[in-house]
């Protein structure tokens, strides 16, 4: 969009010109994901996951709309209506399993997308708003996923709703009225289920709207890249179409293959058996665990066991909210001028410690709260906060980054300027030319 | 300033967590958790292989029929199957007339309303009906079962950790008596009156009396394997896998088709991607020269050149 | 592909390359297209009636309590069904109408079962726009032809439930049914209506 060499949209037909003069939607698409959007030529596969997140959002919206044609949001009918979908509705079992596993895969690709952003410093100037809009999407996703999990009205649905709305009661004075307001009663019931269904249907469209803002904000500076060096000239880039559409296309098909293997051959692997038991407000399951994508946060919540000035419950809830909110400050917590973790030896080490730490938190959050699990989650939570709020600012102050390449092209071409052809001009290449005979 | 404040917040959280950690560990060592009877005597589910296992698994119709017979003769008196309809039994290989006869002769009738008086009544089941529950409600079920509630079996193999293997283990895992060691170490876990000891049950003591006790308890039609306790348990488990996931065969077939389609699509899309990138990618490799250590090397080389020149 | 390329002559190498690339791109895009179309099939077919609704396609009705001249409303596929026990006068009136006068010519005998000409079983759905006609209940307006009368737009049916005046295009539909015994009728038996 903001590159001088970006190819302007030129309608090929008279009809194309007619439309372009009246509603330049094709021009918009061309500039956003077509030949008119120059993208750094050196993106690696970690850059494919943003598009994949869009794919899974679409899958969730489409399957969700058809499931809503059969689902009843009533405490007496919800569980049976889901089983009716599974048993009697044409292809209902497939739609429901796709929706169920689609939620997990949406989170998988989003987590990879977030970690790519953290490693390559994609949150740094001038992309701070891209990062913050992404976090808004993530928060909306968490709310949507949580409310969606309540809808089947199984045991985990019910007790998940009970426990998660219980967070709010930790706040002094306003907490209990807030919880009752959220539930529309003293415990999860009909009012809760109906409002969760309403919001679960609404929020994905809000997410789609914020996704558009996220992409818009991204297209002003353009995509970052593995070197973190700014685009300087035309040969640093390739047009999005056909190069990155082709790359996203094959990689997307490969990820969908993995998704299909889960959906069709292990559809309940990522779920919990207790959600196949209808909700019973009088009996709590032996262990309440959220879906796997919330495990790290559940571990943070449970890590606080001591009433130190504030009650432990309030500490846990504050820490859980803070663990996400602090990410909004990430562009200012890490103010190293170098973006890419590849050129930051110290940052890189701590990045991988963070990854291991989060896996540890996830492990702890998915298990029954034995003393060992709690101790692990206490140390891991401490590292989480230390990493972002203490270590990262210190690294960016004291680290000596490796020398950066002058530009994407010089780094990629090893300084051999004579061998390069400007992007956009096709040259026969030794590796791919077909022999004549 | 912002970073200073956030740093203090971070220190606050870390401090509280470290205090919590020391309290937790100190508590653990000063007051180590006592082992429980469940930890020591609970058994993991036995191995079970069914025809429906694995990505290509399909149901064994004959086994499902036997399993249905076991359900009908052994389980149905106490356990409902409320999500399954008689018409669904056609998937087990029964024809329309047989399904109709099964529904018609089902021991429990379907609640209905008398068309003339408006009073509650019962009628014979029809193929379109779901299996009627053995009890009108939970209170009646508990009253009839020593205050235990026999769960509905429609989804049981999906609603328990361990799935089908757990159900099979539970059915065959009753033990006459607790071991002397258990009673000595955990007097509180001694099987109370009216419960039954089963090490595969998470609580060890279970309200359901052993349902399958003797070989030949169910008489199978000729041409079927002998009805040993083990065989009966396996058959009814296979049947309950079907009731929980009646579309399993469709799922496996559709999954195979989808996987093959996506595999071919991935390969073709990959080749197309290679083709499109072929010319432009000639000298652009993200790895290799881009690697920081290589850049560092070339920087050193450049510096040395500068010195030499 | 190779043979085609050698037949081309001069610009062979470039030609092959271009065509192979085109082929792969076309194949990849086609696969994407096939995938999208295949996915829409379940998304559309899910809107068809589910198995439990299809299973209710037959109902059995006890007609022993319907006196001559009376009618009842029952339900089949969530639609009203009229079962009328015609009086000899009504049968006579229906048979007296010349077929040429009818908008949708059918005889009463063609609309009932042999030997059961007094049992007129029709859907209670006006063929105009789907209202439920009057005439089953005691004292309801049976219209100028003594059969059924649709209050929505004034369609009048005669004693064989054939359309006589008003906007409806065809007679009230006779569903598939069979007599299980003299007093028991099974509606919906024998396939689709």
């Amino acid at each position: 969009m903001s590159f001088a060499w970006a190819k302007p949209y030129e309608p090929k037909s008279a009809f194309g010109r007619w439309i372009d003069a009246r509603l330049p939607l094709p021009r918009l698409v061309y500039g956003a994901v077509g030949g008119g959007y120059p993208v750094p030529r050196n993106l690696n596969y970690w850059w494919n996951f943003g598009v994949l997140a869009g794919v899974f959002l679409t899958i969730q919206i489409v399957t969700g709309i058809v499931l809503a044609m059969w689902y009843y949001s009533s405490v007496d009918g919800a569980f049976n209506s889901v089983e009716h979908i599974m048993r009697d509705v044409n292809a209902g079992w497939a739609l429901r399993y796709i929706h169920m596993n689609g939620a997990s895969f949406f989170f998988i690709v989003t987590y990879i997308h977030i970690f790519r952003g953290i490693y390559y410093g994609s949150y740094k100037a001038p992309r701070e708003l891209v990062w913050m809009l992404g976090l808004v999407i993530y928060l909306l996703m968490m709310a949507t996923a949580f409310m969606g999990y309540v809808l089947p009205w199984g045991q985990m649905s019910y007790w998940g709703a009970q426990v998660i709305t219980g967070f709010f009661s930790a706040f002094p004075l306003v907490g209990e009225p807030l919880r009752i307001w959220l539930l529309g009663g003293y415990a999860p019931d009909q009012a809760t289920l109906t409002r969760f269904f309403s919001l679960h249907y609404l929020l994905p469209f809000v997410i789609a709207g914020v996704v558009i803002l996220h992409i818009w904000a991204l297209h002003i500076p353009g995509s970052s890249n593995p070197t973190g060096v700014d685009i300087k000239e035309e040969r640093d880039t390739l047009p999005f179409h056909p190069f990155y559409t082709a790359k996203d296309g094959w990689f997307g098909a490969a990820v969908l293959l993995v998704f299909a293997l889960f959906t069709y051959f292990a559809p309940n692997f990522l779920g919990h058996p207790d959600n196949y038991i209808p909700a019973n407000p009088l009996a709590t399951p032996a262990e309440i665990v959220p879906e796997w994508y919330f495990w790290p946060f559940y571990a943070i919540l449970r890590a606080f066991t001591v009433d130190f000035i504030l009650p432990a419950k309030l500490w846990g809830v504050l820490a859980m909210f803070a663990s996400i909110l602090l990410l909004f400050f990430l562009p200012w917590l890490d103010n190293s001028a170098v973006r890419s973790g590849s050129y930051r030896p110290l940052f890189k080490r701590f990045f991988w410690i963070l990854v291991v730490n989060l896996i540890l938190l996830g492990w702890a959050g998915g298990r029954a709260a034995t003393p060992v699990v709690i101790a692990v989650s206490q140390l891991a939570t401490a590292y989480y906060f230390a990493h972002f709020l203490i270590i990262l600012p210190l690294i960016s102050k004291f680290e000596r980054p490796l020398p950066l390449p002058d530009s994407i092209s010089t780094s990629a071409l090893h300084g051999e300027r004579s061998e390069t052809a400007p992007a956009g001009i096709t040259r026969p290449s030794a590796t791919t030319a077909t022999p004549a005979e | 300033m912002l970073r200073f404040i956030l740093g203090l917040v971070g220190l606050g959280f870390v401090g509280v967590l470290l205090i919590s950690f020391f309290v937790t560990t100190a508590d653990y060592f000063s007051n180590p958790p006592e082992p429980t009877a469940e930890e020591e005597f609970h058994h993991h589910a036995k191995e079970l292989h069914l025809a429906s296992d694995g990505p290509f698994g399909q149901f064994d119709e004959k086994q499902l029929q036997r399993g249905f017979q076991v359900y009908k003769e052994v389980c149905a008196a106490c356990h409902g199957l409320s999500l399954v309809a008689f018409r669904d039994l056609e998937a087990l290989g029964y024809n329309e007339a047989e399904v109709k006869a099964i529904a018609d002769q089902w021991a429990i009738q379907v609640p209905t309303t008398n068309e003339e008086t408006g009073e509650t009544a019962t009628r014979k089941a029809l193929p379109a009906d779901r299996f009627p529950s053995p009890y009108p409600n939970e209170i009646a079920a508990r009253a009839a079962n020593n205050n235990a509630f026999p769960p509905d079996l429609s989804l049981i193999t999906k609603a328990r950790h361990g799935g089908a293997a757990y159900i099979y283990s539970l059915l065959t895992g009753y033990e006459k008596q607790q071991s002397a060691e258990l009673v000595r170490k955990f007097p509180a876990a001694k099987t109370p009156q009216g419960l039954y000891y089963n090490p595969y049950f998470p609580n060890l003591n279970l309200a359901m009396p052993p349902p399958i006790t003797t070989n030949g308890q169910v008489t199978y039609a000729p041409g079927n394997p002998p009805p040993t306790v083990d065989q009966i348990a396996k058959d009814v488990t296979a049947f309950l896998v079907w009731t929980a996931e009646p579309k399993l065969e469709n799922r496996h077939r559709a999954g195979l088709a989808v996987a093959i389609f996506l595999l071919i699509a991935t390969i073709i899309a990959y080749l197309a991607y290679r083709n499109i990138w072929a010319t432009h990618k000639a000298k652009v490799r993200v790895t290799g020269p881009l690697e920081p250590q290589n850049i560092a090397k070339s920087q050193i080389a450049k510096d040395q050149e500068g010195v030499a020149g | 592909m190779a043979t085609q390329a050698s037949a081309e002559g001069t610009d062979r190498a470039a030609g092959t390359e271009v065509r192979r690339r085109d082929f792969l791109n076309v194949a990849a895009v086609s696969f994407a297209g096939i995938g999208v179309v295949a996915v829409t099939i379940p998304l559309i077919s899910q809107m068809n009636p589910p198995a439990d609704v299809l299973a209710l396609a037959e109902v059995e009705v006890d007609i022993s309590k319907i006196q001559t001249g009376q009618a009842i409303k029952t339900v089949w596929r969530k639609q009203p069904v009229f079962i009328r026990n015609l009086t000899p006068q009504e049968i006579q009136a229906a048979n007296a109408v010349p077929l040429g006068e009818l908008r949708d010519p059918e005889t009463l005998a063609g609309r009932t079962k042999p030997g059961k000409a007094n049992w007129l079983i029709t859907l209670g759905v006006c063929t105009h726009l789907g209202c439920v006609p009057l005439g089953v209940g005691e004292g309801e307006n049976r219209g100028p032809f003594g059969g059924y009368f649709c209050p929505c737009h004034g369609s009048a049916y005669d004693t064989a439930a054939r359309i006589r005046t008003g906007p409806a295009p065809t007679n009230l539909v006779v569903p598939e049914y069979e007599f299980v015994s003299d007093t028991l009728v099974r509606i919906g038996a024998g396939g689709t209506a």
Side-chain angles (χ1 to χ4, degrees):
Chain A
M1 275 184 184
S2 46
F3 300 104
W5 60 88
K7 250 170 57 187
Y9 175 66
E10 283 160 11
K12 289 197 186 77
S13 62
F15 179 69
R17 283 187 291 279
W18 189 89
I19 288 282
D20 192 45
R22 287 160 180 79
L23 181 72
L25 186 63
R27 178 179 293 273
L28 185 78
V29 172
Y30 184 84
V33 290
Y37 178 49
V39 183
R41 62 191 304 157
N42 59 336
L43 299 190
N44 57 30
Y45 280 106
W46 299 114
W47 259 263
N48 287 63
F49 287 87
V51 166
L52 278 170
V55 169
F56 281 105
L57 175 63
T58 312
I59 289 175
Q60 291 304 89
I61 289 179
V62 169
T63 52
I65 286 171
V66 297
L67 287 172
M69 294 182 189
W70 296 102
Y71 170 75
Y72 306 164
S73 56
S74 98
V75 291
D76 298 321
F79 188 87
N80 285 348
S81 79
V82 172
E83 279 305 317
H84 176 244
I85 291 170
M86 293 294 290
R87 288 158 195 270
D88 288 337
V89 173
N90 296 289
W93 58 270
L95 297 167
R96 196 260 177 148
Y97 275 152
I98 290 172
H99 197 71
M100 220 170 104
N101 285 281
S104 280
F105 270 71
F106 193 10
F107 274 97
I108 291 173
V109 296
T110 302
Y111 280 137
I112 295 175
H113 186 61
I114 293 173
F115 276 106
R116 190 271 290 156
I118 292 178
Y119 181 81
Y120 289 108
S122 300
Y123 47 81
K124 291 188 183 179
R127 296 184 187 82
E128 300 97 320
L129 280 181
V130 182
W131 170 254
M132 291 163 88
L133 286 166
L135 289 173
V136 171
I137 295 171
Y138 177 54
L139 287 171
L140 288 169
M141 275 173 69
M142 299 211 296
T144 311
F146 157 63
M147 289 191 279
Y149 194 59
V150 174
L151 299 187
W153 212 241
Q155 272 290 68
M156 275 303 166
S157 299
Y158 181 90
W159 292 101
Q162 175 81 306
V163 167
I164 298 211
T165 53
F167 296 168
F168 293 93
S169 69
F171 296 108
L173 295 176
V174 293
E176 191 57 19
L178 185 63
R179 189 184 78 88
I180 290 171
W181 174 77
L182 281 172
L183 290 173
Y186 301 101
D189 198 2
Q190 185 59 59
T192 319
L193 183 60
T194 319
R195 67 188 56 183
F196 278 14
F197 180 48
S198 169
L199 293 172
H200 182 73
Y201 204 114
L202 167 71
L203 287 185
F205 297 98
V206 178
I207 292 177
V210 184
V211 166
I212 290 172
L213 298 183
H214 183 66
I215 296 172
W216 187 7
L218 171 72
H219 279 49
I220 301 306
S223 301
S224 183
N225 68 80
T227 66
V229 175
D230 281 327
I231 293 168
K232 295 204 173 67
E233 50 189 331
E234 185 170 4
R235 68 196 184 108
D236 290 349
T237 66
L238 291 170
F240 189 88
H241 181 74
F243 293 98
Y244 285 102
T245 42
K247 195 174 179 183
D248 285 328
W250 96 260
F251 196 72
V255 171
L256 285 181
L257 176 60
V258 179
F259 174 55
L261 294 180
F262 267 90
T263 302
Y264 287 97
F265 298 116
N268 295 307
F269 179 77
L270 296 167
H272 195 285
D274 278 20
N275 227 28
Y276 282 109
I277 304 172
N280 179 357
L282 300 180
T284 311
E287 50 182 72
I288 300 180
V289 282
E291 289 281 86
W292 68 267
Y293 35 80
F294 293 137
W295 285 353
F297 300 105
Y298 200 53
I300 291 175
L301 181 82
R302 294 194 303 196
F304 292 84
T305 49
V306 175
D307 294 344
F308 182 78
I309 303 172
L310 301 175
K313 181 177 172 186
L314 183 56
W315 273 113
V317 173
L318 285 177
M320 204 183 61
F321 286 121
S323 67
I324 302 166
L325 291 181
L326 66 84
L327 295 174
F328 280 92
F329 296 100
L330 190 54
W332 297 278
L333 287 167
D334 169 20
N335 68 344
S336 163
V338 177
R339 290 198 188 100
S340 171
S342 301
Y343 300 90
R344 302 181 61 189
L346 211 53
F347 172 87
K348 188 155 60 174
R349 282 199 193 110
F350 281 102
F351 172 83
W352 288 114
I353 295 175
L354 177 71
V355 171
V356 172
N357 184 63
L358 276 166
I359 291 170
L360 215 56
L361 269 179
W363 171 85
R367 299 181 62 98
T370 61
V372 176
V373 168
I374 293 294
V376 168
S377 52
Q378 282 162 341
L379 289 181
T381 306
Y383 179 78
Y384 181 90
F385 283 103
H387 179 93
F388 285 107
L389 297 174
I390 299 163
I391 297 173
L392 219 46
L394 291 178
I395 293 176
S396 52
K397 203 160 198 174
F398 296 110
E399 181 182 53
R400 276 201 58 207
L402 297 171
L404 287 173
D406 292 338
S407 77
I408 293 171
S409 298
T410 50
S411 85
L413 298 167
H414 208 15
E416 292 161 301
R417 211 168 250 275
S418 57
E419 279 187 31
T420 59
I425 293 176
T426 313
R427 281 189 316 127
S429 118
T431 48
T432 56
T434 321
E437 300 304 323
Chain B
M1 188 61 194
L2 174 77
R3 289 197 284 160
F4 181 70
I5 294 167
L6 289 175
L8 285 182
V9 171
L11 279 176
F13 278 122
V14 172
V16 174
L17 282 162
L18 291 181
I19 294 170
S20 298
F21 174 72
F22 287 121
V23 171
T24 308
T25 35
D27 193 46
Y28 181 76
F29 285 110
S30 66
N31 197 1
E34 307 247 329
T36 63
E38 287 90 342
E39 274 169 17
E40 285 196 23
F41 291 93
H42 177 251
H43 293 198
H44 281 287
K46 301 177 194 173
E47 253 190 62
L48 172 70
H49 299 285
L50 294 174
S52 54
D53 290 350
F56 306 111
Q58 304 280 299
F59 290 119
D60 174 351
E61 261 184 21
K62 287 223 129 178
Q63 185 175 35
L64 295 193
Q65 292 196 4
R66 294 196 300 270
F68 171 61
Q69 188 193 344
V70 177
Y71 169 73
K72 187 169 99 176
E73 295 177 16
V74 180
C75 322
C78 303
H79 291 279
L81 206 57
S82 63
L83 297 171
V84 183
F86 288 101
R87 63 184 154 82
D88 294 331
L89 294 174
E90 285 186 34
L92 268 53
Y94 296 110
N95 64 32
E96 215 175 304
E98 287 170 321
V99 168
K100 202 163 178 192
I102 291 169
D104 197 57
Q105 290 151 25
W106 196 252
I108 307 154
Q109 293 206 323
V110 180
T112 183
T113 310
N114 185 313
E115 296 229 343
E116 275 146 34
T117 63
E119 287 166 349
T120 53
T122 57
R123 61 165 171 81
K124 285 182 172 179
L126 291 168
D129 289 317
R130 295 180 201 282
F131 280 81
S133 290
Y135 304 103
N137 52 49
E138 187 178 332
I139 299 168
R142 285 190 186 278
N145 287 288
N146 194 16
N147 203 29
F149 180 46
D152 188 271
L153 295 183
S154 312
L155 283 167
I156 201 79
T157 53
K158 269 157 82 175
R160 294 289 182 275
H161 283 288
Y166 165 76
I167 301 298
Y168 163 73
S169 310
L170 194 76
L171 291 175
T172 54
Y174 282 89
E175 282 173 24
K176 282 257 155 53
Q177 224 174 343
Q178 287 175 314
S179 67
E181 190 196 353
L182 192 157
V183 180
R184 181 170 48 77
K185 274 174 99 173
F186 304 103
K190 189 174 165 357
T191 308
Q193 189 66 36
L195 297 191
Y196 303 85
Y197 180 67
N198 189 326
Y200 295 94
F201 188 64
N203 288 343
L204 302 181
N205 297 313
L206 173 62
M208 174 170 73
I212 307 162
T213 47
T214 47
N215 293 342
Q217 184 175 344
V218 176
T219 313
Y220 286 160
N224 283 303
T228 59
V229 167
D230 189 69
Q231 186 66 39
I232 293 172
K234 252 183 206 158
D235 291 346
V236 77
T237 304
F239 172 71
L240 293 173
V241 171
W242 172 78
T243 62
E245 188 85 2
K247 302 290 182 190
L248 178 139
E249 297 188 335
N250 307 39
R251 177 157 65 74
H252 285 174
R253 274 196 296 270
L256 193 63
V258 169
I260 290 172
F261 175 84
L262 282 173
L263 185 65
I264 299 172
T266 304
I267 292 168
I268 290 182
Y270 179 72
L271 294 174
Y273 152 74
R274 288 288 298 252
N275 248 319
I276 286 170
W277 278 71
T279 49
H280 290 271
K281 219 188 164 187
K283 293 290 175 196
V284 183
R285 289 197 308 275
V286 177
T287 50
L290 232 185
E291 301 256 295
Q293 57 267 39
N294 290 345
I295 289 167
K297 261 187 235 161
S298 67
Q299 193 70 30
I300 292 163
K302 242 185 234 170
D303 292 347
Q304 281 173 342
E305 250 173 59
V307 171
Chain C
M1 202 104 153
T3 49
Q4 276 180 350
S6 51
E8 293 271 331
T10 48
D11 217 11
R12 274 187 302 196
T16 322
E17 198 181 329
V18 167
R19 250 204 320 280
R20 161 143 27 99
R21 174 175 309 158
D22 286 351
F23 169 74
L24 275 169
N25 294 353
V26 168
V29 172
S30 319
F31 256 81
I34 294 167
V36 169
V37 171
V39 162
T40 57
I41 292 170
L43 293 176
I44 291 168
S45 81
Q46 55 87 16
M47 287 175 71
N48 279 317
D52 56 327
V53 171
L54 294 177
L56 295 173
E58 279 181 27
V59 291
E60 288 182 354
V61 186
D62 178 6
I63 56 172
S64 61
K65 296 201 177 69
I66 308 172
Q67 305 296 324
T68 305
Q70 285 187 333
I72 62 155
K73 251 186 237 183
T74 182
V75 179
W76 173 64
R77 289 188 181 167
K78 306 271 165 186
Q79 299 183 100
V81 171
F82 294 165
I83 303 179
R84 179 175 287 283
N85 191 348
L86 295 171
T87 61
Q89 294 88 331
E90 286 170 333
I91 296 173
Q92 224 165 24
N95 289 335
V97 184
L99 280 188
E101 258 178 45
L102 294 170
R103 187 177 300 168
D104 182 12
E106 271 184 304
T107 61
L108 178 64
R111 290 167 66 73
T112 50
K113 297 286 174 198
K116 308 265 183 198
N118 60 322
W119 289 109
L120 177 66
I121 300 179
T122 61
L123 287 190
V125 180
C126 179
T127 55
H128 179 220
L129 290 170
C131 294
V132 179
L134 299 174
V136 170
E138 211 65 47
E140 278 182 6
N141 181 5
R142 295 177 66 172
F145 297 93
Y148 300 109
F149 179 73
C150 181
C152 292
H153 305 95
S155 294
Y157 298 88
D158 67 13
T159 51
R162 296 175 297 196
I163 181 64
R164 299 298 289 273
T165 60
T170 56
N171 303 333
L172 289 185
V173 173
V174 177
E176 288 275 332
Y177 68 91
E178 65 186 17
F179 280 89
V180 179
S181 69
D182 277 351
T183 57
L184 196 62
V185 175
R186 187 185 293 144
I187 303 172
T192 52

